[in-house]
Amino acid sequence: QVQLVESGGGLVQPGGSRILSCVVSGSDFSTYAWAWYRQAPGSQRELVARIFEDGTTFYLDSDKENRFTISRDNTVNTVSLHMHHLRPDDTAVYYCNGRRADQVDSWGQGTQVTVSS
């Protein structure tokens, strides 16, 4: 059973930074692609960024690529999202996601990020 536990959410001022972490257990971490999604109130869940087994990264769009950085540490089974220049429209619940071709996607419970002054 793959378990994902996110942390790092909270209230941050516009223009600020935040680091989200996702600690994974119960999986062969290095064989998964990991991703961060987010869901704002009234909106569908959307991909923010994904990092593949070889470290290659994908960002949904250039805006996220310019402000966010996804990383993984296979030694401590952790995937992180560094977020900078945060804006109110980044307010959302952020979810960690694990994907491997032979399994159903795994999800964390989410962590709330609120960008407000």
Side-chain angles (χ1 to χ4, degrees):
Q1 184 90 15
V2 182
Q3 294 188 327
L4 295 76
V5 179
E6 302 101 332
S7 62
L11 177 65
V12 59
Q13 292 193 339
S17 299
R18 201 80 179 180
I19 301 173
L20 305 182
S21 295
C22 174
V23 178
V24 181
S25 61
S27 76
D28 188 354
F29 183 87
S30 65
T31 66
Y32 284 71
W34 301 100
W36 287 95
Y37 285 72
R38 70 183 186 184
Q39 188 167 17
S43 299
Q44 291 188 337
R45 191 174 298 188
E46 66 170 3
L47 174 69
V48 175
R50 177 168 283 118
I51 186 164
F52 295 91
E53 296 91 313
D54 64 357
T56 304
T57 58
F58 171 81
Y59 296 86
L60 183 64
D61 53 50
S62 58
D63 175 61
K64 294 178 179 62
E65 186 167 14
N66 290 338
R67 298 187 297 122
F68 298 170
T69 301
I70 189 171
S71 61
R72 63 190 292 163
D73 188 339
N74 292 347
T75 65
V76 292
N77 292 3
T78 300
V79 56
S80 300
L81 184 70
H82 292 232
M83 306 186 293
H84 304 286
H85 306 297
L86 285 164
R87 307 187 300 246
D89 63 358
D90 293 314
T91 296
V93 179
Y94 285 72
Y95 296 90
C96 184
N97 164 270
R99 176 170 294 179
R100 202 171 77 177
D102 61 340
Q103 297 186 0
V104 176
D105 279 14
S106 299
W107 294 91
Q109 81 289 349
T111 186
Q112 175 72 47
V113 174
T114 301
V115 184
S116 174
S117 56

